[in-house]
Amino acid sequence: MPDPRQALQADDALLIVDVQIDFCPGGALPIAGGDEVVPVLNRWVAAAVDAGVPVLASRDWHPSHHLSFTESGGEWPVHCVQDSPGARFHPGLRLPESAIVVTKGVRFDRDQYSAFDETGLAAELQKRGVHRVWIGGLAQDVCVRATVLDARRHGLDAIVIADATRPVTAEGGARANDDMRQAGARFETTQGPPLKGAELERLWRDLNSGWRVVDEHHLEKEYPFPDFREALDFTVRIGELAEAQDHHPDVYLAWGKVRLTIWTHRVGGLTERDFIFAAKADQVSVAGSSR
Ligand code: VGL
Ligand code: ZN
């Protein structure tokens, strides 16, 4: 779970795929939570700029009446028409002056989902000595997927910033993840900045009782259960929650109790993510006992 400021290396590039108004809520082809990738990507952009790592931003840039539009027999509503307001990058995305824009989807005879598809991007990255790309943006199951697969085909290491992408459909997103993983892509979740002082205390107060902060590096709680079966059920549900949240708690199952340890994974201290996971674990424990 990397902190962008520690994760980026000299031969990396940050590749932001199609974070455009039309793919965000309120746009022509809205993706649920599409705008939520913006603050996460802004942190990666800021870190990339400071590290001297190139920032590239692709954009879907269709001629009017593009063959991918339903009116032309394609599968998508009219979106990202060249120079239209909806084709602009999300206004909250803080692209640096130095950002390299990769334009795609301009062909009349077929669609281009991948930012590498006849754009010359692979050659540009090679020229810049890039061996590894961090990829986020929209949509996880369409253009992000195609871009990640092409990055791998071109021999680049590819890391999907898992919390900086959203799919058109949840099933599509799950399938895309399988495809990308099979192609050798890695997945990482952005580590939030460590929490300190008053902020830490506020999150702490919001949590149910029973949690202990240990060494400011992990949270610990023991959940009592009337029998082994219920304790076991809880560990299974916690496992599912952990997978869904890409979190890695320790789960210690003993007779009549489960001890959950939430590690921050970072020397910097606990982050908001860790507290959110703790709150969700409390919800999961309550949900189970009422069944
Ligand atoms: C995209 C659908 C149609 C994308 C582009 O950027 O993921 N999706 N065109
Ligand atoms: Zn398109």
Side-chain angles (χ1 to χ4, degrees):
M1 280 193 297
D3 174 344
R5 297 203 173 266
Q6 296 179 25
L8 293 172
Q9 298 171 2
D11 60 348
D12 285 351
L14 175 63
L15 178 49
I16 298 173
V17 176
D18 300 3
V19 179
Q20 292 164 275
I21 291 173
D22 272 344
F23 293 128
C24 292
L29 204 171
I31 293 158
D35 52 345
E36 291 167 15
V37 306
V38 171
V40 181
L41 286 169
N42 281 341
R43 287 191 56 218
W44 285 91
V45 167
V49 169
D50 289 351
V53 162
V55 177
L56 300 101
S58 72
R59 60 177 182 182
D60 212 28
W61 198 248
H62 295 311
S64 51
H65 314 295
H66 189 244
L67 84 174
S68 76
F69 300 165
T70 45
E71 53 165 45
S72 310
E75 63 173 309
W76 306 107
V78 175
H79 65 280
C80 297
V81 173
Q82 294 170 10
D83 292 310
S84 67
R88 287 193 201 133
F89 290 119
H90 188 285
L93 187 65
R94 292 200 281 272
L95 286 177
E97 200 82 1
S98 59
I100 301 155
V101 175
V102 182
T103 298
K104 64 181 186 60
V106 298
R107 284 189 61 140
F108 294 104
D109 56 341
R110 62 175 185 80
D111 210 347
Q112 297 153 279
Y113 286 158
S114 161
F116 287 92
D117 191 354
E118 291 187 19
T119 58
L121 174 57
E124 176 64 16
L125 293 177
Q126 193 179 27
K127 198 175 81 187
R128 290 169 177 271
V130 170
H131 293 109
R132 188 171 77 163
V133 281
W134 294 81
I135 301 176
L138 306 169
Q140 190 174 349
D141 45 351
V142 187
C143 290
V144 169
R145 174 187 178 277
T147 300
V148 168
L149 296 184
D150 268 354
R152 294 295 300 142
R153 269 182 213 116
H154 283 100
L156 294 158
D157 286 338
I159 306 176
V160 180
I161 307 171
D163 52 334
T165 185
R166 294 288 186 284
V168 177
T169 67
E171 313 81 71
R175 252 179 289 127
N177 284 353
D178 287 345
D179 296 344
M180 293 188 283
R181 203 169 270 126
Q182 213 142 76
R186 280 172 44 201
F187 290 74
E188 294 284 2
T189 307
T190 310
Q191 173 72 56
L195 295 166
K196 300 217 163 66
E199 228 183 333
L200 187 70
E201 275 171 27
R202 175 183 63 77
L203 284 162
W204 184 239
R205 274 199 310 274
D206 291 346
L207 270 187
N208 282 357
S209 58
W211 286 99
R212 298 192 303 131
V213 177
V214 187
D215 303 333
E216 290 204 0
H217 291 308
H218 55 279
L219 299 171
E220 203 173 86
K221 180 168 177 175
E222 248 174 44
Y223 294 90
F225 288 96
D227 55 39
F228 186 77
R229 182 77 233 174
E230 284 200 29
L232 182 61
D233 284 351
F234 176 65
T235 64
V236 170
R237 290 196 307 276
I238 283 293
E240 288 164 359
L241 176 69
E243 271 194 350
Q245 304 279 311
D246 191 23
H247 216 296
H248 309 98
D250 286 353
V251 187
Y252 171 79
L253 170 61
W255 294 102
K257 69 180 181 197
V258 174
R259 187 169 70 230
L260 194 58
T261 308
I262 296 176
W263 296 86
T264 176
H265 295 276
R266 293 256 323 108
V267 281
L270 291 160
T271 68
E272 191 164 15
R273 274 191 91 237
D274 303 318
F275 281 88
I276 290 168
F277 189 83
K280 289 199 163 153
D282 281 342
Q283 280 167 17
V284 162
S285 77
V286 176
S289 59
S290 65
R291 274 199 311 211

